[in-house]
């Protein structure tokens, strides 16, 4: 009993400083986003000052088209995330439930796709979208983001579906349920934690993506929020308004933070299921 208590104390002694070290930059960012620019550039005064203002956020949403950037980012993130979950579910179901020639190759193909560096995909993506006349469109962003997250989504979903029982599906189909009906009534509810984990992964991966969004969009009305954050960095504009930079960074952080907080349990369950059943 005493030994177990010592282990818990040791674990918490390691976790608490680690959590503080990881959370400190986030809290510092939020605090600085409410400081005036004159206080931010004062060094230690930015930490010790008790002055909080909303001027940075007011300027951000009135002077700059941040609302438009947010909508663009949500469209370029939610749509490919939903599509990746749906397509990964169907592809993983075929890999797990059916035996066909080349199944081992197709099972390894998503992992091979992850080996290819993103920088090598940029030029082909740009040339294809340019030839199709889809630059500065939602179509270009959705297709590009979908191509980035779909391979690993298929691999993750395959591990989750291996933990579902095919006997229940067969019993449902004996009772008159179709294959598609069995997928929606049996497979999806059973693998829901894994589906949620895959969706969270796809959202976080595409929400924070910068390179593709930067190269495929040049018009102001199609700019994504990740690209907008870059425009406030030192050297991108002159002079740098630090308060607005911290404010837009805080706004950029909120959706992914809220999503993870509300879906944290499902995300952890999905990762645990994938770790146990994936092989």
């Amino acid at each position: 009993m005493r030994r177990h208590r010592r282990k818990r104390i040791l674990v918490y002694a390691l976790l608490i400083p680690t959590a503080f070290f990881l959370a400190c930059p986030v809290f510092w960012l939020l605090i600085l986003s409410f400081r005036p620019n004159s206080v931010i550039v004062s060094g230690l005064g930015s930490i010790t000052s008790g002055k909080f203002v909303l001027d940075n956020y007011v300027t951000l949403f009135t002077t700059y088209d941040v609302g438009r950037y947010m909508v663009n980012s949500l469209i370029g993130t939610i749509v490919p995330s939903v599509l990746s979950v749906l397509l990964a579910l169907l592809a993983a179901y075929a890999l797990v439930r059916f035996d066909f020639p080349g199944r081992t190759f197709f099972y390894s193909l998503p992992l091979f796709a992850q080996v290819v560096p993103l920088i090598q995909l940029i030029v082909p993506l740009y040339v294809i979208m340019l030839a199709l006349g889809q630059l500065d469109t939602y179509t270009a962003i959705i297709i590009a983001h979908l191509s980035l997250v779909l391979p690993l989504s298929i691999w993750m979903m395959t591990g989750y579906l291996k933990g579902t029982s095919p006997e229940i599906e067969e019993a449902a189909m004996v009772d008159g349920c179709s294959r598609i009906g069995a997928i929606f009534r049996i497979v999806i509810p059973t693998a829901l934690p894994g589906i949620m984990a895959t969706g969270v992964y796809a959202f976080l991966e595409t929400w924070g993506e910068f390179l593709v969004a930067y190269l495929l969009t040049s018009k102001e009305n199609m700019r994504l929020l990740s690209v907008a954050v870059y425009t406030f960095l030192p050297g991108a504009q002159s002079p740098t308004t630090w308060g607005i930079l911290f404010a837009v960074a805080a706004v950029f952080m909120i959706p992914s933070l809220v999503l993870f907080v509300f879906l944290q349990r499902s995300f952890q369950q999905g990762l645990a299921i994938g770790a146990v059943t994936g092989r």
Side-chain angles (χ1 to χ4, degrees):
M1 183 69 180
R2 184 175 298 177
R3 185 178 179 182
H4 179 68
R5 185 176 181 181
R6 288 178 180 175
K7 287 183 178 179
R8 290 188 61 184
I9 294 175
L10 179 61
V11 169
Y12 281 109
L14 294 174
L15 289 180
I16 291 176
T18 303
F20 176 79
F21 177 77
L22 295 176
C24 188
V26 177
F27 287 114
W28 193 10
L29 169 67
L30 293 175
I31 291 174
L32 291 181
S33 68
F34 290 99
R35 303 287 198 205
N37 206 57
S38 58
V39 174
I40 294 176
V41 297
S42 64
L44 292 176
S46 63
I47 302 175
T48 59
S49 174
K51 189 173 183 180
F52 286 85
V53 295
L54 295 175
D55 296 349
N56 296 325
Y57 289 94
V58 173
T59 303
L60 185 65
F61 283 95
T62 56
T63 305
Y64 304 95
D65 200 6
V66 175
R68 179 69 179 183
Y69 304 153
M70 178 76 75
V71 172
N72 293 340
S73 293
L74 290 175
I75 294 175
T77 299
I78 294 177
V79 175
S81 298
V82 173
L83 290 176
S84 68
V85 170
L86 179 60
L87 295 176
L89 176 63
L90 297 177
Y93 183 85
L95 291 172
V96 172
R97 292 291 187 264
F98 300 111
D99 188 9
F100 53 89
R103 187 177 71 165
T104 304
F105 170 76
F106 284 108
Y107 179 74
S108 304
L109 191 60
L111 291 180
F112 174 76
Q114 294 300 117
V115 177
V116 181
L118 175 60
I119 194 66
Q120 292 185 352
L121 301 176
I122 292 299
V123 174
L125 278 172
Y126 184 86
V127 172
I128 291 173
M129 295 305 167
L130 178 62
L132 296 176
Q134 295 299 317
L135 292 178
D136 290 307
T137 63
Y138 291 126
T139 302
I141 295 298
I142 291 172
I143 292 177
H145 282 174
L146 179 61
S147 65
L148 294 180
V149 298
L150 185 58
L152 189 57
S153 296
I154 295 175
W155 188 76
M156 292 174 62
M157 197 71 72
T158 302
Y160 302 139
L161 293 187
K162 284 182 177 179
T164 61
S165 175
E167 289 78 11
I168 302 178
E169 298 174 50
E170 295 172 359
M173 288 186 286
V174 168
D175 291 338
C177 189
S178 64
R179 174 75 67 174
I180 298 297
I183 292 176
F184 282 94
R185 296 181 181 181
I186 305 298
V187 177
I188 291 180
T190 304
L192 189 58
I195 294 173
M196 298 295 291
T198 304
V200 171
Y201 152 76
F203 183 92
L204 296 178
E205 188 73 14
T206 53
W207 179 262
E209 195 281 322
F210 167 78
L211 189 57
V212 171
Y214 180 74
L215 293 178
L216 295 184
T217 59
S218 58
K219 295 181 180 179
E220 184 75 16
N221 64 336
M222 287 302 302
R223 181 176 293 172
L224 271 64
L225 195 55
S226 58
V227 181
V229 174
Y230 165 76
T231 61
F232 291 99
L233 292 175
Q237 69 172 10
S238 180
T240 299
T241 307
W242 291 102
I244 297 179
L245 172 61
F246 290 125
V248 70
V251 172
F252 179 69
M253 179 181 62
I254 289 174
S256 55
L257 183 63
V258 171
L259 179 71
F260 187 79
V261 168
F262 282 97
L263 299 180
Q264 180 181 6
R265 185 180 300 273
S266 297
F267 186 67
Q268 292 174 342
Q269 291 176 353
L271 291 180
I273 293 172
V276 174
T277 60
R279 55 185 179 272

